[in-house]
Amino acid sequence: MPQRPFYQPGASSVEGLPLLLQTFHNHPLVMLKPHWHAQVEVNFIICGTVHYRMNDHEISLSAGEMCLFWGGLPHQMVDASDDAVFAGAHLPLVHFFRLHLPADVRNRLMTGATLVTNATDRSDNDNFERWNRYVRSGNPARAEHAVNELLLRLERVRFEPYRLAPENPIEQEAGSPFDQQSLRNVGRMCDFIAENFLYDIDCVDIAAAADIHPKYAMSIFKKSTGMTLNEYVNLLRLSYAQALLMHQDANVLRVAMDSGFGSLSAFNKSFRKLAGMSPSDFRRGAGAR
């Protein structure tokens, strides 16, 4: 019997390209260890079953169910049936903030909850296949059309039954709904960070990109994402570093420098805080196939 393939992060995949919207329509690959990335992920199960281990909960989905979650926390697909097929997308935050979702849902998603709905139909099978084809067509107009349709489809969730897992949210500071200008400012900051996270940037640089005061920038970003600007910059760097560490000849010090960290100690501290292990242990585990 041939060995079952596993998912392996790579520098050309979702972990290393936080600004790029990516779609997929294929057989899911089980992950040997958790991974993370700086996009919101939507998965629609076309057939079969899959099982996820999220940051603080687990969920199983079967054909006809769809989920939405923030990929910035470690998560792992630990099982998938032999007949499983799924489709979906990795949405950069700038697209996520275009969604008109209830404020409490957006806040829950950004702090680790998973939205699950079975209010789907046959049209979703066809649409996800077409959106994937359009995004990969190389035609910008088709890709933009696919993104707009996908976002509208996700917004429809608020009119139909859905659930959030875990059911009991962690107590968090209540945030007031933002106006569209605030969301646009957050989107502009996300764009700037995604394009410059490998360089030495700070909150002043990020705020200037949105033409707002640094203190205001830090405030609306924290309320919107649950993260500080510095935490988000580090997340993108760690996502990129994760992909680089998958290479057999990866050198931890070089990965730290290439990922935008100013020192090996800062890299080790940030990596261990997110992944629960050192970069060296992660690299060794990646080579144990």
Side-chain angles (χ1 to χ4, degrees):
M1 178 180 292
Q3 186 176 8
R4 187 173 185 176
F6 295 96
Y7 178 84
Q8 297 189 47
S12 63
S13 66
V14 62
E15 295 85 4
L17 299 169
L19 192 60
L20 181 66
L21 179 137
Q22 299 185 54
T23 58
F24 52 89
H25 189 290
N26 51 34
H27 295 283
L29 297 179
V30 169
M31 301 174 179
L32 292 179
K33 62 173 60 181
H35 82 143
W36 56 91
H37 50 80
Q39 300 97 341
V40 173
E41 185 168 346
V42 54
N43 290 348
F44 172 62
I45 313 305
I46 297 171
C47 60
T49 60
V50 298
H51 186 80
Y52 303 83
R53 184 174 296 144
M54 300 302 192
N55 185 54
D56 61 357
H57 62 282
E58 298 191 18
I59 58 171
S60 293
L61 301 180
S62 56
E65 291 188 295
M66 182 171 66
C67 70
L68 185 68
F69 59 90
W70 165 232
L73 295 172
H75 57 279
Q76 180 180 11
M77 181 177 287
V78 295
D79 194 23
S81 62
D82 291 338
D83 63 339
V85 176
F86 75 159
H90 297 98
L91 297 170
L93 281 185
V94 65
H95 291 301
F96 177 67
F97 289 127
R98 290 170 57 193
L99 284 171
H100 296 287
L101 294 175
D104 62 320
V105 170
R106 187 176 65 241
N107 293 340
R108 288 287 310 277
L109 290 175
M110 291 305 300
T111 52
T114 302
L115 185 152
V116 179
T117 179
N118 59 8
T120 61
D121 54 41
R122 178 65 198 179
S123 67
D124 288 308
N125 293 23
D126 299 331
N127 285 333
F128 273 100
E129 188 280 329
R130 178 169 50 80
W131 295 330
N132 181 59
R133 183 161 33 89
Y134 276 23
V135 168
R136 294 169 177 267
S137 68
N139 184 316
R142 288 194 176 198
E144 182 180 3
H145 184 81
V147 172
N148 290 334
E149 282 197 358
L150 173 59
L151 295 181
L152 283 172
R153 172 61 187 93
L154 295 177
E155 287 182 2
R156 202 177 85 201
V157 164
R158 59 184 170 153
F159 304 123
E160 299 170 337
Y162 64 84
R163 62 183 175 90
L164 290 168
E167 293 183 3
N168 299 318
I170 299 173
E171 289 295 326
Q172 56 183 320
E173 181 182 353
S176 58
F178 290 132
D179 58 31
Q180 288 302 306
Q181 184 58 47
S182 296
L183 291 177
R184 280 193 291 270
N185 286 334
V186 172
R188 291 166 69 185
M189 287 190 284
C190 288
D191 272 350
F192 176 82
I193 295 170
E195 292 173 348
N196 296 279
F197 69 93
L198 296 178
Y199 305 106
D200 184 15
I201 58 174
D202 58 22
C203 64
V204 175
D205 303 316
I206 297 167
D211 196 25
I212 55 178
H213 192 277
K215 287 187 177 180
Y216 179 63
M218 290 187 287
S219 175
I220 64 171
F221 194 89
K222 173 71 172 179
K223 289 181 179 179
S224 174
T225 67
M227 295 176 286
T228 65
L229 285 168
N230 187 58
E231 287 171 339
Y232 183 61
V233 172
N234 275 350
L235 171 62
L236 268 65
R237 291 172 176 169
L238 290 167
S239 184
Y240 187 76
Q242 172 193 196
L244 295 180
L245 286 169
M246 297 301 295
H247 295 288
Q248 290 185 350
D249 60 347
N251 175 278
V252 173
L253 176 59
R254 176 168 294 178
V255 168
M257 298 300 105
D258 290 347
S259 302
F261 288 91
S263 69
L264 182 59
S265 60
F267 177 52
N268 283 329
K269 181 179 180 180
S270 295
F271 198 98
R272 185 178 292 276
K273 181 178 179 181
L274 178 65
M277 66 180 75
S278 70
S280 296
D281 288 341
F282 183 89
R283 184 194 57 186
R284 281 192 289 270
R289 294 288 181 266

